[in-house]
C-alpha cells in the first residue's frame, strides 16, 4: 500500500453524505429542461441553499434552508437572523448583453467565504 492509498483509507468521512439526485436519463433531462427554461430560477434555487448571501440592511450572512426560510448570523453581535421571504438578487440570469451574461445581479456574496 502506498502513501496515497493509506491516506484515502484513513481519511475522515463526512458526517452526512449527499446522494446524487440524478438517478436516470429522465432525471437528467428534466433538470436540463428546467435549466434551459429558466436558468435564473433553476440555478438560483441551488445558489440560495448552497451559498451564503449578504443582507446589507441586517449586516448578516444568510442561506436558505430546506423549509425556504433564510437563516444566518448578524455580523455586529452574532445573533441569529431568520427571514421568511427574501431574495438576495433582483435578476437571477441576465442575458440582455449576450454573449456577456450576468448571474445573480444585485446579490452580494463572497467567493472566498463560500
Amino acid at each position: 500500500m502506498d502513501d496515497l492509498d493509506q491516506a484515502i483509507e484513513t481519511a475522515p468521512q463526512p458526517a452526512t453524505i449527499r446522494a446524487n439526485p440524478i438517478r436516470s436519463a429522465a432525471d437528467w433531462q428534466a433538470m436540463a429542461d428546467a435549466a434551459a427554461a429558466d436558468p435564473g430560477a433553476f440555478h438560483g434555487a441551488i445558489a440560495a441553499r448552497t451559498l451564503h448571501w449578504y443582507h446589507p440592511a441586517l449586516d448578516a450572512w444568510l442561506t436558505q434552508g430546506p423549509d425556504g426560510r433564510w437563516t444566518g448570523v448578524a455580523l455586529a453581535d452574532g445573533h441569529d437572523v431568520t427571514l421568511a421571504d427574501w431574495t438576495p438578487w433582483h435578476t437571477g440570469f441576465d442575458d440582455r448583453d449576450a454573449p456577456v451574461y450576468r448571474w445573480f445581479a444585485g446579490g452580494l456574496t463572497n467567493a472566498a467565504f463560500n
Side-chain angles (χ1 to χ4, degrees):
M1 178 181 294
D2 66 11
D3 290 342
L4 179 58
D5 290 333
Q6 185 172 352
I8 291 170
E9 189 172 301
T10 60
Q13 298 300 308
T16 59
I17 298 174
R18 293 187 219 170
N20 186 342
I22 301 172
R23 298 288 184 202
S24 67
D27 291 344
W28 183 90
Q29 191 60 56
M31 290 180 75
D33 292 344
D38 189 345
F42 178 81
H43 293 288
I46 296 168
R49 66 179 182 262
T50 58
L51 300 177
H52 293 86
W53 294 90
Y54 183 68
H55 192 302
L58 299 177
D59 192 27
W61 288 97
L62 305 169
T63 301
Q64 191 175 47
D67 62 358
R69 294 183 316 151
W70 290 85
T71 59
V73 177
L75 297 177
D77 59 10
H79 76 273
D80 291 339
V81 175
T82 301
L83 298 174
D85 188 32
W86 178 59
T87 303
W89 52 83
H90 56 74
T91 306
F93 177 66
D94 182 356
D95 62 351
R96 291 177 296 178
D97 295 326
V100 175
Y101 302 99
R102 290 176 182 79
W103 289 92
F104 312 119
L108 300 173
T109 191
N110 181 333
F113 177 75
N114 282 299

